Amino acid sequence: MSLNRALEEIRDDLIRWQQTGLNESQTIQAIVLPVLSELGWNQRNPFEVYPPGHSQALGNYSPTT
């Protein structure tokens, strides 16, 4: 799949997702990871794509709210 096709599929589903509401994990799964994958990131490599809240992703920096 190409980046354009991935974005088209996401666009086609956005209205339905907006109506049902996605939580953060679902947003990452449905939108972020497919886009990163199409951009060449290996989403299955835990040292390349870090899970949310993982401090190593920011060099041990953790933003505060």
Side-chain angles (χ1 to χ4, degrees), residues 41-61:
W41 291 73
N42 182 355
Q43 64 183 351
R44 292 179 296 145
N45 181 345
F47 300 106
E48 191 169 336
V49 177
Y50 292 94
H54 193 280
S55 62
Q56 291 295 325
L58 300 171
N60 289 327
Y61 170 77

Side-chain angles (χ1 to χ4, degrees), residues 3-58:
L3 177 59
N4 285 338
R5 182 68 190 133
L7 292 174
E8 287 172 3
E9 287 182 6
I10 291 168
R11 181 199 62 211
D12 293 344
D13 289 326
L14 279 177
I15 293 173
R16 181 172 46 90
W17 291 341
Q18 184 179 21
Q19 292 170 346
T20 59
L22 294 181
N23 64 33
E24 182 178 2
S25 294
Q26 291 169 317
T27 300
I28 291 168
Q29 177 185 353
I31 299 172
V32 176
L33 291 178
V35 170
L36 287 178
S37 180
E38 290 304 321
L39 290 173
W41 291 73
N42 182 355
Q43 64 183 351
R44 292 179 296 145
N45 181 345
F47 300 106
E48 191 169 336
V49 177
Y50 292 94
H54 193 280
S55 62
Q56 291 295 325
L58 300 171

